[in-house]
Amino acid sequence: MNWLLSWTAVRNYIFVPTICLAISYSFVAADATSGPRYADPAIANAIGLIGDLYRKGKIDTVNGEAALTYYFKLSSGDGRVLAALPPEQLIATFIIPPKPDGKSAAHVYKIAANLGNPDAFLRLGDLYNTGDLIEANPQLAFDYYQKAAALGSESASVNIGLMMIEGSGTTQDIPGGLAFLIEAADKENTQALMALGKLYRTGDPNGITSDLVRSFEYYKRAADGGSSAATVITARMMIDGEGTIAAPEKGYDVARRLLEGKDPAAMLLMGDLLLKGIPGVLSPDASKAFEFYRQAGESGSATGRSQTAFMMVRGQGAAQDVESGVRILEEMAVSGDTSAMHTLGQLFETGVETSLPADASKAFAYYETAASKGNPRSSLRMAFMLIAGNGTMQNSEGGVEILESLAAEGLSGANLMLAEYYSGAIGSGDSVDLPQAYSFYQQAAARGSKTGRIQTALMLLRGEGTARDYDVGISLLQAVANEGDPDALLALGTVFASGEAGEVDAKAAIAAFEEAAALGELKANILLGDLFSRGEVIPPDGELAVFYYKKAAGIVPATEGAAAVTASDPQ
């Protein structure tokens, strides 16, 4: 039998009386294994696509039932299906789009899965793993991923590996999980390469230590395979010297080339770079940054849109328009965008001069809502405000509980905040526990945090919360400074100037501060001015002190002065 159908015939299959559709679908809904008599790949694929439409909110049950009826009739004979219209061509135009329907999507995916569609098993795993549209069930998700992997799905194998590492839905097995990821990565699977890059960049609370060199290698392989997302990350890592020799110019060139493809992630990266600048490569330009964020927003990036609105409220890089900026963010927040909620929280937490008064309680409410929807940055700020009693009743225990949960999920920022809490830097100071602080700084360092590495080194040098160890401390601090980190260079210069490294080394202190200043850190010039002004560790030199203070104020070009210091040997 020839199954090439005319549009008229197809229409007859779709627009049957509603009562017939109900009878047809009731038989299907009762048992997900009901349907076609044989597993024709075309039918299995088409039915899986109906599930995708339910998940994306592009089909309702009436159209979905009609599409199923069409495909069931196509496969009701003993012949092979030679052609079938894709489900999106069987759907009428909606005046009001339907909402995403996880329950119907799961039902349809089960039908397709029982016909041997590996993607349907994968989608079922995704539904039950994320819990976005249906109640989460990690065990069921893991089972579906296993079935998809058995049918050859590499994406399912990657998800199996991640769940094994996390111990989600199955017994935790970090080596076994990594083996799944590495096997897929060896086949140059982009998803596996990206997953491994992320794991080794941030570290994992379950026992995977941060390894930035390995992280960069995995991201680079994904980028070489055509992943624009990986290329954006490698460009940023080259600029920052993460896992590779710092190459700001090369990283910037990569970022510029990405713009040719109109990739929103590349636009966001360029906005970030222009907002902060790259010392010696790119001068800060807020107006250009605003333009890139705006373009990213128009290309569909929620982050680009919220950043544009944020800058409008602050009048940064654009004419200040508080009302329009807040309205955009509120519209995004009402639609459920947690990035916009977080941005509103930021704005109301600090206020914007006289144009937008600070409102800590409103800021906390936005953070709380975004946190309840899974935004980790908002959870972090919410925890801080609970500990500080800002915008809400003080509840240090509640804030610490949130931070511990976030730290368990691998968020290095949570480890840093816990370290600050136990060091007494935040909170009432009643909870000071330096060994705890040291431990949390170490954990943040293990997950790739440069701040965690710097603070761990300083506590070793000072013997705070741990036994004093000059050699290890200075080695750790020097390693971060060698990566071109301005904060590490400032800390290193301070250590040499104070003698915390074992003895005062004024020449090394000046060199560290000079390097930090060359990277655009104005505070370094102030510290240099203080050294020559006070004359505590080097002979006082009022002329040089004034020179450096002028550099800090921008009166003297930041690139001048190194020769003058080199000529005057402080020792």
Side-chain angles (χ1 to χ4, degrees):
M1 181 181 293
N2 188 348
W3 294 101
L4 290 169
L5 302 180
S6 67
W7 172 241
T8 303
V10 171
R11 231 177 13 186
N12 290 337
Y13 280 126
I14 300 173
F15 300 107
V16 293
T18 304
I19 187 168
C20 293
L21 284 173
I23 293 171
S24 170
Y25 193 72
S26 64
F27 130 80
V28 174
D31 180 3
T33 62
S34 303
R37 295 180 184 177
Y38 57 89
D40 185 279
I43 295 298
N45 179 64
I47 292 175
L49 293 175
I50 296 175
D52 292 345
L53 295 174
Y54 272 123
R55 184 169 50 85
K56 297 174 183 177
K58 294 186 177 181
I59 196 171
D60 60 6
T61 54
V62 173
N63 280 276
E65 291 166 8
L68 280 175
T69 300
Y70 163 60
Y71 293 123
F72 289 168
K73 285 188 176 182
L74 279 184
S75 60
S76 61
D78 295 326
R80 297 287 291 174
V81 176
L82 300 180
L85 288 172
E88 59 267 24
Q89 292 188 21
L90 305 178
I91 304 170
T93 302
F94 295 104
I95 297 175
I96 301 176
K99 294 181 179 179
D101 185 347
K103 185 176 180 180
S104 295
H107 171 76
V108 174
Y109 283 142
K110 287 173 184 177
I111 297 173
N114 285 325
L115 294 175
N117 183 336
D119 287 338
F121 280 117
L122 177 66
R123 299 289 179 265
L124 281 165
D126 292 342
L127 278 175
Y128 287 106
N129 190 25
T130 63
D132 291 337
L133 298 176
I134 200 169
E135 185 177 355
N137 188 328
Q139 291 82 9
L140 196 55
F142 188 79
D143 181 57
Y144 280 126
Y145 284 142
Q146 283 186 308
K147 291 177 179 177
L151 291 172
S153 171
E154 288 184 6
S155 293
S157 293
V158 172
N159 288 323
I160 288 171
L162 290 171
M163 294 184 79
M164 289 173 70
I165 290 170
E166 295 167 4
S168 175
T170 186
T171 303
Q172 188 178 52
D173 181 357
I174 295 175
L178 283 173
F180 268 93
L181 295 179
I182 291 170
E183 182 179 358
D186 287 343
K187 299 174 184 176
E188 300 305 317
N189 178 279
T190 300
Q191 185 184 357
L193 292 167
M194 294 289 286
L196 287 164
K198 182 178 180 181
L199 279 172
Y200 286 113
R201 189 181 189 192
T202 62
D204 184 90
N206 296 306
I208 298 174
T209 303
S210 172
D211 186 333
L212 293 177
V213 172
R214 187 177 293 184
S215 170
F216 181 81
E217 289 173 354
Y218 279 120
Y219 279 129
K220 184 68 166 58
R221 283 168 59 187
D224 291 342
S227 169
S228 59
T231 307
V232 168
I233 295 172
T234 55
R236 192 180 290 273
M237 292 180 78
M238 282 190 283
I239 291 168
D240 296 336
E242 278 189 283
T244 185
I245 297 173
E249 289 187 26
K250 185 176 180 181
Y252 177 56
D253 286 340
V254 171
R256 285 194 303 176
R257 288 198 300 272
L258 282 169
L259 292 172
E260 297 174 4
K262 306 296 182 183
D263 187 290
M267 297 174 192
L268 289 177
L269 173 60
M270 189 59 71
D272 292 345
L273 297 178
L274 282 163
L275 199 58
K276 297 179 180 179
I278 305 174
V281 177
L282 182 69
S283 299
D285 190 325
S287 60
K288 288 183 179 179
F290 177 85
E291 183 60 23
F292 278 114
Y293 286 133
R294 185 188 64 77
Q295 290 177 27
E298 291 177 352
S299 298
S301 167
T303 302
R305 192 176 177 210
S306 63
Q307 185 67 10
T308 300
F310 180 80
M311 294 180 74
M312 288 171 64
V313 173
R314 295 180 60 84
Q316 185 180 18
Q320 189 172 43
D321 188 343
V322 177
E323 184 177 348
S324 296
V326 170
R327 184 177 66 251
I328 291 170
L329 291 169
E330 288 177 339
E331 288 173 355
M332 294 176 69
V334 168
S335 70
D337 189 290
T338 61
S339 174
M341 295 176 197
H342 183 81
T343 301
L344 284 164
Q346 288 179 298
L347 289 169
F348 284 109
E349 184 179 4
T350 59
V352 182
E353 298 174 352
T354 58
S355 57
L356 185 70
D359 188 331
S361 60
K362 188 175 286 189
F364 182 83
Y366 276 118
Y367 287 141
E368 187 175 32
T369 304
S372 70
K373 295 180 179 295
N375 187 304
R377 293 187 304 151
S378 291
S379 296
L380 205 57
R381 291 310 304 166
M382 178 184 168
F384 176 83
M385 295 181 82
L386 282 167
I387 291 171
N390 185 24
T392 185
M393 293 268 303
Q394 187 175 31
N395 181 0
S396 295
E397 290 184 4
V400 168
E401 185 177 341
I402 292 171
L403 292 176
E404 289 175 342
S405 175
L406 292 171
E409 294 172 6
L411 189 67
S412 63
N415 292 99
L416 289 175
M417 197 172 288
L418 282 166
E420 291 181 348
Y421 174 73
Y422 286 112
S423 69
I426 61 173
S428 61
D430 297 333
S431 58
V432 173
D433 184 335
L434 294 182
Q436 276 273 61
Y438 177 74
S439 175
F440 280 115
Y441 278 132
Q442 276 190 312
Q443 291 175 39
R447 293 171 189 171
S449 167
K450 287 187 178 180
T451 301
R453 292 163 67 192
I454 293 169
Q455 292 301 324
T456 297
L458 291 175
M459 292 188 79
L460 279 166
L461 288 166
R462 295 164 183 165
E464 295 176 343
T466 185
R468 177 172 287 170
D469 191 325
Y470 291 120
D471 292 338
V472 174
I474 203 69
S475 176
L476 286 174
L477 193 55
Q478 187 71 64
V480 187
N482 289 344
E483 294 171 9
D485 184 84
D487 291 333
L489 288 163
L490 288 179
L492 191 64
T494 302
V495 164
F496 284 131
S498 65
E500 286 179 303
E503 61 181 15
V504 173
D505 188 337
K507 190 172 184 178
I510 291 172
F513 288 145
E514 275 286 356
E515 189 175 347
L519 291 170
E521 181 57 68
L522 295 180
K523 186 178 178 181
N525 287 309
I526 295 175
L527 292 172
L528 282 163
D530 290 345
L531 279 178
F532 286 103
S533 174
R534 294 171 183 170
E536 294 172 352
V537 296
I538 54 175
D541 188 325
E543 186 177 346
L544 271 179
V546 170
F547 176 79
Y548 280 114
Y549 288 140
K550 285 183 176 181
K551 283 182 69 177
I555 299 173
V556 177
T559 54
E560 292 185 17
V565 177
T566 303
S568 83
D569 188 344
Q571 295 182 339

